[in-house]
Amino acid sequence: MRFRNPLDRVGAVDAPVVDNVPAEKANDKEAAVTNDLAQQPSSDADSEQISADAQAGVQAVEALTTVWTKNNLILAYVTIWVIFFVDAMQSSMSGGLVAYVTSSFYQHGLTATTGVMANLIGGLSKIPLAKVLDIWGRPQGFVLMLACLMLGLVMMAACNNVETYAAAQVFYWVGFNGISYTISIFIADTTHLKNRGLMLAFASSPYIITVWIGGPLATAFLDGPGWRWAYGAFAIITPAICSPLLYLFFKNYRKAAKLGILPKREHNRSAWENVKYYFVEFDVVGIFLIIAGLALFLLPFNIYSRQPQQWRSPLIIAFFIVGGLLTIGFVVWERWFAPKTFIPYKLLSDRTVLAACILAANLFISFYIWDSFFFSFLQVVFNLNITHAQYIMNIYSIGACFWSLVVGFLIRYTGRFKWLAVYFGVPVTILGIALMLNFRHAGVPVGYIVMCQIFIAVSGGTLVICEQIAAMAVTTHQYIAVVLAIEGMFASVGGAVGSTVAAAIWNDLFPKNLRRYLPQEAQANITEIYGSLAVQLSYEPGTPTRDAIEQAYSEAQKWMLVASTVIQVISIACVLVWRDVKVKDFKQVKGLVI
């Protein structure tokens, strides 16, 4: 489960960023969330009237939920599950096709760089998309992302060189991430806060199934009509399965407009005035600063190894400096200069929101430190074939998606989420990672590794849901999209940092330990052994050379696991500072919702 806009503050200088709770509940420990952020009362926080101070996109979705029927609600969630199922299946299949696509053009060199840029742009695209969803509307953003996804699929199906395939990957990942994000926001729009974790988990449950389908599906296309039709087929299937949700959007929008529930927004602005208006509304300066800053900051983590001087390269240093300055510039702009802020500064600095975002980053850092070389570790140290190693790798996806459903039910039943993170999520994460320190050696039954992966999976499923609910629980409906976008941004940074730390540990310790443990007759082959998994696996288990390679792996993995465990101290601090919000006390959204 790798699961985010300010709103038009009409008539308000500083809109409240938390919901109010009736006074009789104030003695419930911090449940009311009555803090210094709530400078003004939000009279319609949990009322059924359309939020007067919200931007057009939020008002429109509140009007939709006011007029739609129970059957519409059920159909929407059935369609959402099918969309996630098809997208997850297509993504899993595509991962198995990349090597065959690039091989058909006899070019591999550009593929890695393409993947870096595609994933980087796809992750950062949520930031401007959050603005689109709030200013123009949920269906408009959904259609835009669907168009990007289809364009990417069509380009991949029709490409005649790896450069076109590279460009197609960018469109595809922007669309794929955008559709997932837009639906997550729509789930937040249509769920009571106490049920939101459960429905987010429900939407992600297709991953329990699709992890087993992607490989066979890719094989079926390769052995049948070819890889082009693998992309072409989903360019047809995807818009078809998205149509019912779009139909529900526009049908109920028209219904709300006819009933006079959807506020009319008329203007007499000229074309130039429109440009200036949306330039301010979209906070173009702020979005440019944060996207450019993060792009320049994150890119070096992925390309430093291709530079002759690596981290000392002037290009890498320049990227870090400029990226850091632009990111600082974003904070300064939002704090003192922005006429319409991307996110209210007081919300960004709220302890629960900030701690949830830091937790997202920290979990990704910790995960990618130990996971980056885990697949090859399983094959070399435990002598597993690709299929069995993949089964263990899939434990996290399956376990986290399944357990998040349990967490959703527990949050709904108890009305609380903090206790799950404090007493289960973080401790079990630490337990799972720390136990692998003891079980990382050759000769240890692989079942112990499976046990550790199950611990990490169930704790990860707990923390992913809890961190999102924590961030959403202390804000109002109008800031949900931007809060989740910021959380996703922190996770992207965490993933990049974690992968870099893993690479630094590996590149430093693995070759040193090879020189230390390899027998004399294999010392001349250190370069080949270090650089190729196939060469490592070519030595039979039980031979002195294979034993030395396994020992070198165990030593490198040891320090990765140590780093992953130690950094969880930050996770402990993050969940402890959360407010203990009782989510049963908030509906947060309008109309007929789950």
Side-chain angles (χ1 to χ4, degrees):
M1 291 171 60
R2 311 293 189 225
F3 303 101
R4 297 195 191 266
N5 282 341
L7 302 171
D8 189 3
R9 296 169 289 178
V10 179
V13 177
D14 196 357
V17 296
V18 293
D19 287 320
N20 285 332
V21 179
E24 63 267 23
K25 296 178 181 175
N27 60 351
D28 191 356
K29 182 184 177 183
E30 294 193 272
V33 203
T34 52
N35 56 75
D36 59 348
L37 291 176
Q39 294 181 0
Q40 300 178 16
S42 183
S43 58
D44 62 349
D46 273 347
S47 76
E48 294 303 319
Q49 294 185 1
I50 306 302
S51 301
D53 59 349
Q55 287 184 311
V58 179
Q59 289 182 335
V61 78
E62 290 180 348
L64 178 149
T65 56
T66 300
V67 302
W68 71 350
T69 64
K70 185 177 180 180
N71 287 337
N72 289 160
L73 180 60
I74 294 171
L75 178 59
Y77 274 86
V78 171
T79 305
I80 284 171
W81 193 92
V82 174
I83 291 171
F84 267 91
F85 179 86
V86 172
D87 278 357
M89 181 170 58
Q90 197 283 323
S91 176
S92 179
M93 177 202 68
S94 182
L97 293 175
V98 175
Y100 295 93
V101 175
T102 54
S103 294
S104 68
F105 301 125
Y106 302 99
Q107 295 186 56
H108 285 81
L110 186 61
T111 306
T113 303
T114 301
V116 169
M117 293 305 300
N119 285 289
L120 181 61
I121 296 171
L124 294 178
S125 64
K126 293 177 185 177
I127 296 174
L129 177 57
K131 276 292 193 179
V132 171
L133 297 179
D134 279 347
I135 294 176
W136 288 341
R138 273 50 167 171
Q140 289 84 350
F142 188 78
V143 169
L144 180 62
M145 293 300 101
L146 179 60
C148 285
L149 179 69
M150 291 174 60
L151 178 59
L153 289 169
V154 169
M155 288 175 66
M156 286 189 282
C159 67
N160 292 315
N161 54 61
V162 76
E163 289 83 4
T164 304
Y165 182 77
Q169 285 277 297
V170 174
F171 284 106
Y172 170 78
W173 282 110
V174 168
F176 180 86
N177 289 335
I179 287 176
S180 175
Y181 169 70
T182 302
I183 292 178
S184 295
I185 299 305
F186 183 69
I187 290 172
D189 293 330
T190 56
T191 53
H192 193 293
L193 189 56
K194 69 179 180 181
N195 295 324
R196 197 165 298 163
L198 178 59
M199 299 318 295
L200 286 170
F202 165 78
S204 298
S205 62
Y207 286 91
I208 300 172
I209 304 170
T210 57
V211 294
W212 311 107
I213 297 176
L217 188 62
T219 302
F221 273 107
L222 288 170
D223 294 342
W227 61 263
R228 293 184 185 276
W229 268 109
Y231 296 115
F234 279 93
I236 299 169
I237 295 170
T238 303
I241 58 100
C242 289
S243 297
L245 188 60
L246 286 171
Y247 170 75
L248 288 174
F249 271 135
F250 291 111
K251 170 193 172 183
N252 286 288
Y253 276 15
R254 287 196 299 269
K255 182 178 179 180
K258 287 181 181 180
L259 293 174
I261 297 174
L262 186 64
K264 293 183 179 180
R265 291 182 176 248
E266 298 178 351
H267 66 83
N268 297 314
R269 296 188 297 268
S270 65
W272 175 241
E273 288 172 334
N274 249 342
V275 171
K276 292 191 293 183
Y277 173 78
Y278 284 114
F279 187 89
V280 172
E281 289 294 311
F282 275 93
D283 189 19
V284 173
V285 174
I287 288 178
F288 168 78
L289 289 172
I290 189 63
I291 290 181
L294 285 175
L296 291 174
F297 180 80
L298 293 174
L299 195 57
F301 291 107
N302 295 281
I303 66 171
Y304 80 94
S305 61
R306 301 183 183 94
Q307 305 302 311
Q309 297 175 277
Q310 296 198 346
W311 291 113
R312 295 185 180 88
S313 168
L315 178 65
I316 298 298
I317 295 171
F319 277 177
F320 274 128
I321 293 173
V322 176
L325 289 174
L326 288 174
T327 304
I328 294 171
F330 167 76
V331 175
V332 173
W333 169 261
E334 295 295 305
R335 179 68 179 88
W336 287 290
F337 300 105
K340 286 288 181 72
T341 58
F342 178 75
I343 181 171
Y345 182 80
K346 289 181 179 178
L347 178 58
L348 183 61
S349 59
D350 173 69
R351 76 172 195 254
T352 305
V353 174
L354 185 59
C357 291
I358 294 174
L359 177 64
N362 198 61
L363 292 176
F364 270 72
I365 292 171
S366 178
F367 180 84
Y368 278 101
I369 289 176
W370 69 260
D371 184 69
S372 293
F373 294 92
F374 190 59
F375 187 68
S376 56
F377 168 79
L378 290 172
Q379 293 184 72
V380 173
V381 177
F382 290 92
N383 196 31
L384 299 180
N385 59 34
I386 293 175
T387 300
H388 291 159
Q390 193 64 55
Y391 286 161
I392 293 179
M393 295 292 290
N394 286 339
I395 289 174
Y396 183 86
S397 295
I398 298 168
C401 290
F402 170 77
W403 191 256
S404 64
L405 291 168
V406 177
V407 173
F409 276 112
L410 289 172
I411 293 174
R412 186 188 191 285
Y413 179 76
T414 65
R416 305 275 190 180
F417 59 87
K418 180 175 178 177
W419 69 275
L420 285 163
V422 172
Y423 299 116
F424 182 82
V426 175
V428 177
T429 297
I430 296 172
L431 176 66
I433 299 172
L435 281 176
M436 281 204 293
L437 274 166
N438 190 51
F439 301 136
R440 73 186 193 281
H441 303 287
V444 174
V446 75
Y448 288 115
I449 295 294
V450 171
M451 177 189 70
C452 295
Q453 290 298 297
I454 292 172
F455 287 157
I456 295 170
V458 297
S459 59
T462 301
L463 291 173
V464 166
I465 294 297
C466 288
E467 78 187 27
Q468 292 183 338
I469 298 301
M472 289 186 283
V474 295
T475 185
T476 54
H477 187 198
Q478 61 179 342
Y479 292 111
I480 287 174
V482 68
V483 163
L484 293 184
I486 295 295
E487 187 219 4
M489 178 187 74
F490 271 77
S492 295
V493 173
V497 173
S499 298
T500 303
V501 172
I505 294 173
W506 177 264
N507 293 330
D508 180 50
L509 295 182
F510 188 60
K512 286 182 180 178
N513 286 314
L514 284 176
R515 295 186 189 97
R516 179 181 177 185
Y517 295 118
L518 279 175
Q520 190 61 41
E521 62 270 17
Q523 288 287 332
N525 300 324
I526 283 181
T527 302
E528 290 77 11
I529 294 172
Y530 169 69
S532 173
L533 176 61
V535 173
Q536 296 162 14
L537 294 173
S538 68
Y539 295 96
E540 288 295 322
T543 62
T545 300
R546 180 62 174 265
D547 289 345
I549 295 171
E550 292 172 0
Q551 184 65 24
Y553 259 94
S554 295
E555 290 294 323
Q557 193 72 22
K558 168 189 171 182
W559 291 107
M560 292 179 192
L561 291 167
V562 167
S564 295
T565 305
V566 170
I567 202 173
Q568 288 299 328
V569 172
I570 298 175
S571 297
I572 296 173
C574 287
V575 298
L576 286 176
V577 301
W578 285 351
R579 291 181 177 82
D580 192 19
V581 182
K582 190 173 183 180
V583 294
K584 280 186 175 181
D585 291 341
F586 301 95
K587 183 180 179 185
Q588 201 180 57
V589 291
K590 316 293 180 184
L592 177 63
V593 298
I594 294 177

